[in-house]
Amino acid sequence: MIINVDLSGEVPIYQQLRDRVVEAIAEGELIEGSALPATRALAADFGINFHTVNKAYDLMRQQGLIRLNRKTGAVVTPTPADPAFRAEWTARARTLLAEAVAKGLRADEVLQTCRSVLDSFGATQAEDAR
């Protein structure tokens, strides 16, 4: 898995790391049981503090996306969406969609973009086929 982050960007590095892993899971590049790089190795690759990687991994652990174990390290373990996740996700989506409307994007443009992004994820393509 190749992770790209913008070390000089406005989005915190730990958030970028988390976001890239979530995208890799959605795209099917990482599947349940996939091991993530060790925190120190990943930190060394980017030239960042390993606590930054720890923060990203801990966030993903709290969100139920990975399991952390001293022997196996960080391993992908997606869990089903619960009602609390659905409510939080809906609130975030509402704000993102409100930004699009506030910037003048038409509803058909927004829907087309959403469909395009969803279609790029292998997991949703398999789900749609059912």
Side-chain angles (χ1 to χ4, degrees), residues 23-99:
E23 290 167 4
I25 293 169
E27 292 166 353
E29 187 177 341
L30 290 175
I31 60 171
E32 188 168 355
S34 295
L36 297 179
T39 55
R40 290 187 189 274
L42 192 56
D45 287 347
F46 285 113
I48 60 176
N49 190 303
F50 82 95
H51 290 294
T52 301
V53 179
N54 274 342
K55 186 171 184 175
Y57 281 18
D58 189 54
L59 179 59
M60 288 185 285
R61 179 194 58 78
Q62 291 172 17
Q63 295 170 336
L65 295 166
I66 66 171
R67 180 181 70 249
L68 297 174
N69 184 304
R70 289 182 189 230
K71 290 183 180 182
T72 59
V75 177
V76 174
T77 178
T79 55
D82 61 14
F85 169 81
R86 289 179 189 274
E88 179 189 340
W89 182 84
T90 299
R92 291 190 334 249
R94 180 177 172 77
T95 300
L96 189 60
L97 292 171
E99 289 175 10

